[in-house]
Amino acid sequence: MPRVLDDFRRAQLAIAALFCFLGFQYATWASRLPALKTRLGLSETEVGLLLMACGAGAAASFPLVAYLMKRLGSRSLSLLSALCLVAILLGLSAAPNYPVALLIICADGVAVGCLNVAMNAQGAALEAAYRRTAMTQLHATFSGGSFAAALVASSINTVTSAMTPHFATAAVLLLLLLAYARPRLLADQQNQQEKPAAEQKEESRRRRLTMPSQVTLWLGCAMVFGTVTEGAMNDWSALYMKDVADAPDRLAPLGIAVVSVMMVLARLLGDGWRSRWGDARVVRVGSAVAGTGLALALLVGGVVPALIGFACVGLGIAAVTPCLYVAAAAQGSDALALVATMGTIGLLAGPAVIGFVSGAADLSWGMAVVAASALAVSICTTRIRWNTATQAVSS
């Protein structure tokens, strides 16, 4: 038993390194957008298109991800896409003009889509192989990577404002993470051997289907609503605090801070919740808490209710996407790729939808859409048959 636990821990830390890698890589170039804007002489619209290109690349990566997952498997695809992201980071620091930067950022989105699916497949395989929950803690390390990237960016900026030294340093750190993860990732053939013959046969049958199953579509819808909730809170909470809740300027950033802190805390604790209550209950109750808490905060109004409502969103929605990734992985690599892509679409479309509703009415109604999205997750997941026969134990 101790040997099995040691093997689990080694694999868990390796996969966590991939999640940290992705958070670090994304936050590194995102933190230098002002410098990139100045160097290339970009307008606000061009910066917006740059961000959109990253999301569009990730959303358009679905056919490629589905193909590469079958051809390479999650381990090889993780390593390949991670190496591409390192090269992309270095290429962005040397981009001579806006069109080249646009192409590089679009390629970044494609590589992010590949790594996102592959590393979540590794996480799901880890849980299946060792019958232990791990996915929510893995997702927490993504936030840890983003935080570490912000610290590195701040430290290097005190020495030089040039992008090339910053991105070169980040590339070295990313390669060290990758070197640590590489020998400890789960081999795909090992993942297959851990599965019963009947499950392997069923997975092969799913892969031959050209149309996604109803379960996959419901998972995709739940993922869209879940990522709409996450993305909208990141983009609109500070503005709601200032314009609607009438918070002073010094308190307005507390909205996103409360959401972020509660999400990290919930993801650190979420695997224990999953072991005790099961993924279905965690997702349904969590999304209901997020939607109901935010709706009540909007009805009451004011700074303190808003912060409590935002805390409910962070606490309730944090474990939703990790659980949905696990459920999608159980349906096969095509389902996982499709559900991940729909999640990217939710992140892209959500803030824009909130902005449209807020423009047509006001931001209170826009945030009401966020609350409704969280509740919609709970409704969608009632149509999903969750696997309770092989309930995992907490890591």
Side-chain angles (χ1 to χ4, degrees):
M1 183 68 178
R3 174 63 185 274
V4 173
L5 183 58
D6 288 344
D7 290 343
F8 169 80
R9 292 298 186 194
R10 279 194 291 270
Q12 183 186 30
L13 288 173
I15 300 166
L18 293 179
F19 279 82
C20 182
F21 179 106
L22 187 57
F24 191 97
Q25 195 271 354
Y26 176 79
T28 294
W29 71 259
S31 68
R32 299 311 300 269
L33 274 176
L36 191 65
K37 178 178 181 290
T38 300
R39 183 163 70 84
L40 299 179
L42 306 182
S43 66
E44 299 294 337
T45 300
E46 287 172 325
V47 172
L49 288 174
L50 205 63
L51 293 172
M52 187 177 295
C54 181
S61 67
F62 165 63
L64 179 64
V65 175
Y67 173 77
L68 291 178
M69 279 289 289
K70 290 178 182 178
R71 292 284 296 179
L72 301 178
S74 61
R75 183 180 186 275
S76 295
L77 182 56
S78 294
L79 298 173
L80 177 62
S81 55
L83 286 174
C84 289
L85 286 169
V86 174
I88 286 168
L89 198 61
L90 294 173
L92 186 61
S93 68
N97 52 50
Y98 179 64
V100 172
L102 203 61
L103 289 174
I104 291 173
I105 291 297
C106 186
D108 183 87
V110 173
V112 165
C114 291
L115 181 55
N116 183 42
V117 171
M119 69 186 189
N120 276 286
Q122 280 276 311
L126 177 72
E127 292 196 349
Y130 292 95
R131 299 296 189 266
R132 303 181 71 88
T133 54
M135 191 66 92
T136 62
Q137 291 180 9
L138 293 175
H139 278 255
T141 60
F142 176 90
S143 301
S146 299
F147 180 70
L151 292 180
V152 170
S154 179
S155 299
I156 292 179
N157 278 341
T158 61
V159 179
T160 175
S161 60
M163 289 177 57
T164 300
H166 178 195
F167 284 10
T169 302
V172 171
L173 295 175
L174 290 171
L175 288 173
L176 289 174
L177 275 174
L178 201 57
Y180 172 81
R182 180 180 173 275
R184 299 169 178 84
L185 293 176
L186 296 178
D188 291 287
Q189 59 267 28
Q190 172 186 343
N191 300 344
Q192 289 296 327
Q193 289 170 2
E194 293 288 344
K195 296 180 180 180
E199 187 176 339
Q200 293 187 43
K201 184 177 180 181
E202 176 65 15
E203 184 173 311
S204 298
R205 184 189 71 82
R206 290 195 194 103
R207 287 180 176 178
R208 290 194 296 268
L209 297 177
T210 56
M211 295 296 292
S213 66
Q214 286 190 1
V215 171
T216 300
L217 292 176
W218 282 113
L219 283 168
C221 289
M223 184 67 85
V224 168
F225 289 122
T227 53
V228 163
T229 304
E230 286 189 36
M233 293 306 298
N234 288 332
D235 290 341
W236 291 101
S237 57
L239 197 60
Y240 176 87
M241 288 287 291
K242 187 175 187 303
D243 293 351
V244 180
D246 293 326
D249 290 343
R250 61 187 175 83
L251 295 182
L254 285 182
I256 183 59
V258 165
V259 174
S260 299
V261 168
M262 293 304 293
M263 284 193 70
V264 171
L265 178 63
R267 283 179 171 169
L268 290 175
L269 300 175
D271 289 319
W273 300 342
R274 295 173 60 209
S275 299
R276 183 172 182 178
W277 296 305
D279 286 9
R281 186 175 298 178
V282 167
V283 171
R284 291 170 189 165
V285 173
S287 54
V289 166
T292 304
L294 182 57
L296 290 175
L298 296 174
L299 289 173
V300 174
V303 174
V304 173
L307 291 175
I308 294 173
F310 292 171
C312 288
V313 174
L315 182 68
I317 210 69
V320 167
T321 51
C323 291
L324 292 176
Y325 275 120
V326 171
Q331 302 297 312
S333 60
D334 285 354
L336 177 58
L338 178 60
V339 170
T341 301
M342 294 180 73
T344 302
I345 292 172
L347 283 174
L348 285 173
V353 170
I354 306 309
F356 176 78
V357 173
S358 300
D362 57 46
L363 188 51
S364 293
W365 283 103
M367 296 300 283
V369 173
V370 179
S373 295
L375 293 172
V377 174
S378 189
I379 295 171
C380 288
T381 52
T382 62
R383 307 295 298 176
I384 299 168
R385 185 175 61 188
W386 298 83
N387 182 15
T388 55
T390 57
Q391 183 62 50
V393 298
S394 173
S395 61

